[in-house]
Structure formats: C-alpha cells, structure tokens
C-alpha cells in the first residue's frame, strides 16, 4: 500500500521516550489501542486502518498494518535533546522548524482521519493545521467503576456534535462511587483519619503536569497551596505510589510539623467522612473527589475538562464514553461528517468487567479494594479457625 493511500491512521504519542532510555515508551500502548479499534473502524469506513508507531527494529515489517515514524530524526530536526526533557519541551510546543513540521505531518498525507490514543498537544495542533480530522481517545480520570473508560476529544465541530449523545453524564458514575465507598467501609484505614484536607502527589513525569514546555510540581503552586490550606492545621499527604518523594511539597514553604503522610489506598481515603477537601496539581484523584462528596481543588490545570452534563460540552472538552467505542456504529456516527461510512448494523458489543484494566495491566488502586478485601477476609477466617 502506498503511504498516501486513503486510510484511517491510529497512533499516539510518537515522541515520548522511556525515563532512562531514548526508546519509545508508548509503542505498546499504541499497538494495544490499534488492536482494540481496527476492526470496528474498518467495518465503519471500509478503509484500511493502519497503526503508526516510533520505528524500532522489527516493529513495522513489510506488509503489516503498522507504519514506523523516525522519531530520532524528528528530535534532531527540532534540535531537541533526545530524552525526557526534550519530550517535555516538544509536548505542547507552539512552533517547530519547517523541516521538522513537514516530517511530523508526512505520515498523515492522504489520511481520511486520525484516531489517536493520548496524542500530544503538538500532534493535535499540527493535524488541525493540516485539516486532517482527529479523534483523541484517553484513559478517563474516573477510575472507580467496573472498568476504565475513555475520555474522547476532537477538534471537529460536527464530530463533536455527534459525540455529545454518547457522553455519560454524572449520574452514570454516582452509583459506582457509592459502591466503592461502601466496600471501603470494610477496609478501615490503619490509622484513623481525622484531617479534613487530603493533598495528593503525582509521578514526577506526567503529561498532565506539562505547561509551556516544563514539568510542574507542588512547589510551583506555593501561594495557591497556602491559600487553600490556610495558615494552620494538619494536612494529610498521600504520595503517588510511583513517586515516594514529596513531589515538591517540601519546597512549598509548608511547615513539616503540619504534614501527616499516609500510604493508604486513595479510594479508602476518599471514603473517609473526615476528609472534606482533596487538593492536587492535576491528579485524577482530584477529579474523582466530588463523586465521594468532597471538594476537589486543582492547583494546576485539570487533566481533562469533563462536562457533568451533555449540555455543558464545549469545544476543547472531553466526552465520557463508557463502552460505545466497541461498536462500528459508534465510529460510523462520529466519522460520518468527514467521510463516507457503511450502513449501521445495530450491534453493541460488551466486554466483561475489568477487561481493559486487565488488558492494560493497570488498576490504579481499584484492585486493592475489590481484590484485596476478599483475600483479607479469607485470611481472617483461616486464622480464626487455626
């Protein structure tokens, strides 16, 4: 197939390297997503559905539906350092050297549409400038339900209008939060929680922390943090499991005597009545807090703008899509304004609970509530009998 043949391209963040090595950290995620959606996309459009990844030896063999992008050459054309710092600078870059822009745009020549998995802001901006319709699919910040779901964004006004009826409003998620909070009652924290404010950390390298080519942490928001916390009183701080340091907290001017550190599960903490406010830079826990009756305060920019109601969706916001994306009809509906689609078939596939969590090998603390509890209860019964 010629590179410019009319097709759908499924891709993601082609630029993010691993933390320690200049190798792709996202190829696995892009291939995972391509495998999930290539069948319904092909059925919906009648077009080939190709994946586009950071080119590595053996990853895009001739004749496969995977294409390779020369990411090292792109970094060189940009004059960017081939490391995490270089990626951070490129992630939301407003301008590129002409040759670099042409290089990043070239794989999409002739594409009917691009379906992305967590695209960079740079990629989305370039596709918009090239008049190529894009739909960006992200892991949703609400992770307390029967499975993870997707938050979907687009730059195309007609695609956005088609997306709105698929948006799950707040009332869909409320029973999920209630069930998790009820389950957490059976898992009381090891140390009783009496502090009204929960401050949450994040991983040091997180796309949600990038602003103007720089990574942020709590130290960048010291005045806002002090305004939220007030001058006195203890603060319960939960570090991210993958970032045991203070995430800039100890450089924010907060007295050490005020900080109470906890390792409890985030959902166990959200279920505690004593906690009234959840504060963070851009953590998904802050977005989830309101479903547990807490006030969520973002010091930085929320990871996504999720509308409580369909009527509130506006350009730039994300729609909450639970499982409609599994069907070809969903993609027919979304893409009909920009390309010819096939006839609807009325099929609505359904996956079992935890299918995506298990497939991704990512549980975001949910497993500690619903899987650890039965284990603890069984252990308790065994010890009582012993």
């Amino acid at each position: 197939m010629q590179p410019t043949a009319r097709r759908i391209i499924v891709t993601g963040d082609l630029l993010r390297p691993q933390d320690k090595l200049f190798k792709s950290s996202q190829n696995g995620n892009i291939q995972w997503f391509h495998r999930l959606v290539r069948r319904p996309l092909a059925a919906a459009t009648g077009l080939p559905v190709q994946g586009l990844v950071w080119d590595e030896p053996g990853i895009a063999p001739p004749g496969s539906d995977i294409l390779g992008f020369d990411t090292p050459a792109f970094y060189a054309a940009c004059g960017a350092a081939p490391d995490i710092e270089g990626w951070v600078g490129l992630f939301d870059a407003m301008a590129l050297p002409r040759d670099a822009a042409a290089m990043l745009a070239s794989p999409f020549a002739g594409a009917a549409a691009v379906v992305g998995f967590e695209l960079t802001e740079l990629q989305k901006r370039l596709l918009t400038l090239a008049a190529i319709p894009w739909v960006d699919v992200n892991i949703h910040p609400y992770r307390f339900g029967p499975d993870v779901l997707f938050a979907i964004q687009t730059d195309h006004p007609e695609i956005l209008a088609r997306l709105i009826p698929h948006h799950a409003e707040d009332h869909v998620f409320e029973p999920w939060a209630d069930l998790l909070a009820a389950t957490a009652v059976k898992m009381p924290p090891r140390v009783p929680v009496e502090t009204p404010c929960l401050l949450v950390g994040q991983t040091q390298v997180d796309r949600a922390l990038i602003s103007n080519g720089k990574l942020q942490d709590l130290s960048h928001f010291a005045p806002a943090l002090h305004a939220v916390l007030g001058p006195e009183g203890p603060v319960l701080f939960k570090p991210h499991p993958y970032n045991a340091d203070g995430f800039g907290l100890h450089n924010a001017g907060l007295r050490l005597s005020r900080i109470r550190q906890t390792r409890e599960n985030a959902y166990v903490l959200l279920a505690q009545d004593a906690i009234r406010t959840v504060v963070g830079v851009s953590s998904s826990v802050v977005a989830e807090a309101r479903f547990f009756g807490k006030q969520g305060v973002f010091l930085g920019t929320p990871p996504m703008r999720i509308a409580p109601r369909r009527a509130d969706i506006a350009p730039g916001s994300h729609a909450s899509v639970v499982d409609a994306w599994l069907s070809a009809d969903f993609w027919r509906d979304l893409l009909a304004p920009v390309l010819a689609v096939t006839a609807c078939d009325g099929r609505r596939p359904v996956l079992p609970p935890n299918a995506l969590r298990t497939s991704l090998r990512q549980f975001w603390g949910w497993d500690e509530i619903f899987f650890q509890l039965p284990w603890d209860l069984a252990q308790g019964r065994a010890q009582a009998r012993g």
Side-chain angles (χ1 to χ4, degrees):
M1 181 179 297
Q2 296 300 314
T4 56
R6 189 164 172 81
R7 66 214 189 281
I8 305 292
I9 293 182
V10 174
T11 190
D13 187 344
L14 296 170
L15 309 180
R16 181 167 180 169
Q18 299 174 13
D19 288 358
K20 304 298 183 183
L21 297 173
F22 191 59
K23 296 174 59 178
S24 175
S25 71
Q26 297 301 304
N27 274 359
N29 286 337
I30 296 170
Q31 290 176 291
W32 174 84
F33 185 65
H34 176 246
R35 295 283 181 94
L36 277 181
V37 299
R38 62 183 177 180
R39 187 191 304 271
L41 278 170
T45 64
L47 296 174
V49 180
Q50 294 180 309
L52 178 65
V53 299
W54 177 327
D55 199 11
E56 295 176 336
I59 199 166
S64 77
D65 57 1
I66 298 293
L67 303 174
F69 176 74
D70 191 346
T71 300
F74 175 75
Y75 270 72
C78 293
D83 54 23
I84 282 289
E85 186 175 351
W87 168 72
V88 170
L90 289 171
F91 182 86
D92 60 357
M94 295 298 295
L96 289 175
R98 183 183 297 273
D99 289 349
M103 187 180 300
L104 189 58
S106 63
F108 303 103
V114 171
V115 178
F117 182 70
E118 301 188 344
L119 296 169
T120 66
E121 295 303 311
L122 171 63
Q123 288 172 296
K124 290 187 283 189
R125 192 174 295 121
L126 190 67
L127 289 170
T128 297
L129 288 172
I132 298 173
W134 55 265
V135 175
D136 189 36
V137 180
N138 303 264
I139 298 295
H140 201 288
Y142 305 163
R143 297 168 186 168
F144 50 79
D147 204 350
V148 295
L149 61 147
F150 290 138
I152 300 182
Q153 184 188 43
T154 182
D155 69 325
H156 197 285
E158 291 180 80
I159 296 178
L160 179 62
R162 298 294 189 102
L163 186 57
I164 290 173
H166 298 283
H167 175 61
E169 298 181 319
D170 274 8
H171 64 83
V172 172
F173 308 112
E174 290 165 355
W176 299 356
D178 293 343
L179 176 63
L180 191 148
T183 307
V185 169
K186 301 289 188 178
M187 302 180 68
R190 289 172 284 260
V191 177
V193 174
E194 299 174 349
T195 307
C197 182
L198 173 65
L199 181 63
V200 293
Q202 294 174 238
T203 57
Q204 203 67 48
V205 179
D206 185 336
R207 55 188 276 127
L209 295 171
I210 298 173
S211 179
N212 297 319
K214 301 292 183 183
L215 284 169
Q216 300 174 317
D217 60 24
L218 289 168
S219 68
H220 294 85
F221 300 93
L225 181 61
H226 283 267
V228 172
L229 300 181
E232 302 295 336
V235 176
L236 191 63
F237 175 60
K238 176 173 172 51
H240 192 281
Y242 299 153
N243 184 12
D245 70 13
F247 187 57
L249 176 60
H250 301 304
N251 297 316
L254 197 68
R255 290 198 317 275
L256 190 62
S257 60
R258 295 184 63 186
I259 301 170
R260 310 284 191 269
Q261 189 159 308
T262 179
R263 300 289 180 179
E264 293 289 350
N265 178 278
Y267 294 120
V268 169
L269 294 171
L270 287 178
Q272 301 307 304
D273 291 335
I275 293 175
R276 303 297 180 82
T277 307
V278 181
V279 183
V281 175
S282 57
S283 171
S284 61
V285 178
V286 179
E288 293 172 305
R290 62 193 179 90
F291 291 96
F292 295 85
K294 321 298 181 186
Q295 179 189 16
V297 179
F298 284 107
L299 300 173
T301 304
M304 298 164 203
R305 289 167 48 200
I306 308 292
R309 303 175 306 151
R310 290 173 181 169
D312 300 323
I313 292 183
S317 60
H318 290 74
S320 303
V321 179
V322 177
D323 59 7
W325 58 270
L326 281 161
S327 72
D329 281 353
F330 171 81
W331 297 105
R332 290 179 178 110
D333 192 15
L334 257 59
L335 297 176
V338 297
L339 53 86
V341 296
T342 56
C344 291
D345 57 29
R347 297 170 184 164
R348 184 67 181 264
V350 177
L351 294 175
N354 288 309
L356 296 186
R357 282 193 182 104
T358 304
S359 180
L360 278 169
R361 303 295 191 266
Q362 292 284 346
F363 284 79
W364 292 281
W366 185 96
D367 55 326
E368 297 172 11
I369 302 292
F370 285 98
F371 294 161
Q372 186 64 37
L373 178 58
W375 171 258
D376 290 345
L377 292 174
Q379 264 197 326
R381 287 194 297 268
Q383 290 170 359
R385 288 195 298 266

